[in-house]
Amino acid sequence: MISVCFLIALFTTSYSVSTTFLFLQIPSGSQNAHAFLPLGIPNSEALIDTASRFLSGTSLASLFTGVWENAGAVLIDLFSAKLSVFFTSLRAASIVLTEDPGPAVVFLITGVILAVIYQFFISNILLIGEKRFFLENRNYRQTPVSKIFCLFKLSYVRHPAWVMFCRSLFQSLWNLTVIGGIVKHYEYIFIPYILAENPKASRKDAFFLSKQLMCHNKWKFFLFDLSFLGWQLLSLCTFGVLNFLFVNPYITASRAELYASLRRNYVLSRSPRYEVLNDSYLEHVPSEDELLISKALYDDSQGPYTKISYFAPEQYPVFLFSIQPPLRAVKTPVNVNRKYDVLSYLFLFITFSAFGWLLETGMQLVTEGTLTADSLLSGPWRPIYGIYGTLILLLLKRLNKKPVLVFVLNTVLYSIVEYLYSAAYEALTAARINDYSNFLLNLNGRIYLGGAVLYAVLGCAFLYYLAPRWTDFYMKLGHTRRTALCFFLCLLFVCDIIVSFLSVHFS
């Protein structure tokens, strides 16, 4: 549960207080930071600057240059997430209003579009996956963390994304009335849970059922949320650590239990449209005999899961779920313990370096509306990713059965790699590729805890999924083509090193 809430906190807009201190910026006048995730303009600065300009010349303008520059700014940064369409749009607007963006306006618009795509096709889908995990984990104690990606595995994303988009849109419109926004927040609160139980639920059904489940329960749910206030305040004293370790899993598990209780009563009472809440296995854990009979009677034409054994102890019987993935979506299990030869290491080094460039460029567009400019090389790759990935495979692959230890060691390993990489870049160019001096918990402005934690998550993804999958694809090419591809990529990489070195040396 801790791992699930931790991942959701990092990659969605949920649990914003938990991640605030990882990315907290101490005002220093420096805006030269570039990294994997939201840096640059803080939420409070974007909101206050934009509001001040629109209210310029009015009596309200002083509000944003007085109290809001201090206490208000802290509250905004504390209770808001940067991976959101609203604040990405505000940061883009702030740049347009304070500077002459010129051709860069294209990147600003692209950034906002990417933020919208991320919010509705990734973030919202992960939130549904989180609810699915907690609903299953109530009775199936070995529910895997990967359950948060269940809709991606099922290749069933568009419909749930549309329903969640409508929820966000309607909620935003109701927020303009303030009181209506609070009421609708609680009226819509079970929509992700309903989609987690039945992703096929229509928009009307999801909204109707959530409204019915919360009928006469909104005030009780408000008091329920209020009961956690003490824990939230105590967590602030620990800089969000208590949130990660206890508060977030505790609150989310409690909400899942509350949904399960209301849902059970609703289904038993045969209330309108109760048939949509059709996942009986969330309540009833089938015995081994029931599973064997169900599998024997299962129609293979409805899905491919019967081709693989899914009788893992204390796990939900996925082959009985109402939605089955297309055959193309079912893949062989990832072999984390596979061996890598020299060519594979070279291929993964360059591939992960290119992947890092795409990742940084995309995230910079989403969060800032700009492109990352600073790099040791001029080509579309970031060597630090390749170095980091190679070291992970060499040093940590044997520990893959201990994911928590792997994550901690990844954090330490990345911190060392980035510190040395930054020092080397500074020695070669007399400039800093990254400046984290205005971030909490930084070391000489070269590394900071928030970045190390995010890269540790990426490192785990590389070890447990990306590297084995990419290598499987690479091995299918045959020895001759593998060698030719590796030679070509290495040649491009070496040429880029030479060109970049000469440009720095003679500039």
Side-chain angles (χ1 to χ4, degrees):
M1 289 192 292
I2 294 174
S3 300
V4 168
C5 289
F6 179 74
L7 291 172
I8 294 298
L10 290 180
F11 297 113
T12 73
T13 56
S14 293
Y15 315 121
S16 56
V17 176
S18 307
T19 56
T20 295
F21 295 101
L22 289 177
F23 309 111
L24 183 62
Q25 300 182 62
I26 303 170
S28 62
S30 174
Q31 295 298 332
N32 298 320
H34 296 286
F36 167 56
L37 266 184
L39 305 179
I41 305 174
N43 287 347
S44 58
E45 182 179 329
L47 179 60
I48 293 171
D49 285 354
T50 305
S52 298
R53 290 181 178 276
F54 278 112
L55 298 175
S56 179
T58 68
S59 58
L60 293 175
S62 59
L63 176 66
F64 293 93
T65 57
V67 177
W68 282 104
E69 277 191 335
N70 301 296
V74 173
L75 292 174
I76 291 170
D77 290 332
L78 191 61
F79 293 100
S80 64
K82 285 192 176 179
L83 279 175
S84 69
V85 177
F86 177 73
F87 283 104
T88 297
S89 302
L90 274 185
R91 277 190 287 274
S94 180
I95 294 174
V96 172
L97 292 172
T98 57
E99 305 173 10
D100 180 16
V105 72
V106 176
F107 297 127
L108 296 175
I109 296 173
T110 303
V112 173
I113 293 173
L114 289 176
V116 171
I117 293 173
Y118 183 89
Q119 181 75 30
F120 296 113
F121 288 97
I122 297 180
S123 181
N124 281 347
I125 301 303
L126 289 177
L127 288 177
I128 295 174
E130 178 201 30
K131 310 311 179 192
R132 182 70 199 184
F133 171 88
F134 277 92
L135 289 176
E136 288 189 15
N137 191 247
R138 294 173 54 254
N139 293 314
Y140 304 93
R141 296 303 176 185
Q142 297 301 318
T143 302
V145 175
S146 61
K147 185 62 67 173
I148 63 176
F149 305 107
C150 62
L151 291 181
F152 294 110
K153 291 182 178 180
L154 294 171
S155 294
Y156 197 82
V157 171
R158 285 182 295 177
H159 177 70
W162 163 246
V163 178
M164 291 293 285
F165 168 77
C166 293
R167 173 182 182 251
S168 299
L169 177 62
F170 296 162
Q171 182 67 61
S172 300
L173 294 175
W174 277 108
N175 285 344
L176 299 176
T177 67
V178 183
I179 299 299
I182 297 173
V183 173
K184 291 299 179 180
H185 167 74
Y186 286 103
E187 186 174 300
Y188 298 158
I189 202 165
F190 282 142
I191 291 176
Y193 291 90
I194 294 167
L195 292 173
E197 178 174 354
N198 181 7
K200 290 183 178 180
S202 68
R203 180 187 65 81
K204 290 184 178 181
D205 285 343
F207 277 74
F208 175 81
L209 288 171
S210 182
K211 181 180 180 179
Q212 291 297 103
L213 291 175
M214 289 303 294
C215 184
H216 306 301
N217 289 316
K218 298 183 187 68
W219 177 249
K220 295 177 182 178
F221 208 113
F222 174 75
L223 295 178
F224 174 76
D225 281 345
L226 203 61
S227 67
F228 298 112
L229 182 61
W231 285 112
Q232 296 284 12
L233 294 175
L234 183 60
S235 180
L236 291 178
C237 299
T238 64
F239 299 101
V241 174
L242 186 61
N243 258 334
F244 281 126
L245 298 180
F246 177 74
V247 179
N248 293 339
Y250 176 44
I251 293 176
T252 310
S254 299
R255 287 184 171 183
E257 194 65 44
L258 181 58
Y259 168 78
S261 177
L262 294 174
R263 169 208 176 277
R264 184 186 310 115
N265 294 335
Y266 194 84
V267 172
L268 290 176
S269 64
R270 298 296 190 267
S271 298
R273 307 188 199 180
Y274 79 93
E275 302 91 349
V276 177
L277 304 176
N278 58 6
D279 196 345
S280 61
Y281 293 104
L282 291 177
E283 293 291 337
H284 168 65
V285 179
S287 65
E288 185 175 346
D289 289 340
E290 286 178 290
L291 284 174
L292 290 173
I293 294 172
S294 298
K295 187 168 184 178
L297 298 175
Y298 181 72
D299 184 1
D300 288 351
S301 65
Q302 298 300 312
Y305 272 163
T306 50
K307 299 178 183 299
I308 307 172
S309 175
Y310 272 85
F311 289 161
E314 296 190 70
Q315 288 190 23
Y316 179 91
V318 294
F319 75 95
L320 295 177
F321 189 47
S322 59
I323 293 180
Q324 292 292 292
L327 185 59
R328 58 180 171 76
V330 179
K331 300 178 181 179
T332 57
V334 175
N335 182 14
V336 181
N337 294 310
R338 68 165 304 131
K339 295 182 179 180
Y340 301 92
D341 57 20
V342 176
L343 287 179
S344 296
Y345 274 112
L346 288 173
F347 172 76
L348 289 174
F349 172 84
I350 297 177
T351 304
F352 200 42
S353 298
F355 177 80
W357 180 87
L358 290 172
L359 198 60
E360 282 196 8
T361 302
M363 294 310 300
Q364 192 71 16
L365 275 172
V366 169
T367 58
E368 303 298 335
T370 59
L371 289 174
T372 303
D374 296 329
S375 175
L376 193 62
L377 301 178
S378 55
W381 31 51
R382 295 288 186 268
I384 186 173
Y385 286 82
I387 296 170
Y388 177 46
T390 303
L391 290 176
I392 288 174
L393 295 179
L394 292 174
L395 302 177
L396 304 181
K397 185 165 72 73
R398 67 190 69 181
L399 302 173
N400 65 76
K401 294 183 179 180
K402 301 177 179 178
V404 176
L405 177 60
V406 169
F407 172 77
V408 173
L409 293 177
N410 261 322
T411 305
V412 176
L413 179 61
Y414 177 75
S415 298
I416 296 172
V417 170
E418 184 178 29
Y419 191 92
L420 296 176
Y421 186 82
S422 180
Y425 183 90
E426 190 173 343
L428 289 172
T429 65
R432 281 198 170 185
I433 187 171
N434 295 315
D435 186 2
Y436 306 126
S437 300
N438 59 333
F439 278 79
L440 190 67
L441 303 175
N442 74 84
L443 181 60
N444 296 333
R446 292 195 176 117
I447 57 174
Y448 78 109
L449 181 60
V453 167
L454 286 168
Y455 276 101
V457 173
L458 180 62
C460 290
F462 180 74
L463 173 63
Y464 289 102
Y465 186 80
L466 296 178
R469 285 298 186 199
W470 289 348
T471 304
D472 288 342
F473 168 78
Y474 181 61
M475 297 301 291
K476 291 178 181 178
L477 298 178
H479 180 72
T480 302
R481 282 184 288 182
R482 288 203 309 271
T483 304
L485 176 62
C486 195
F487 175 79
F488 176 72
L489 292 175
C490 288
L491 181 63
L492 288 178
F493 191 77
V494 171
C495 289
D496 193 3
I497 292 176
I498 295 173
V499 172
S500 300
F501 176 78
L502 292 176
S503 64
V504 170
H505 184 72
F506 292 105
S507 61

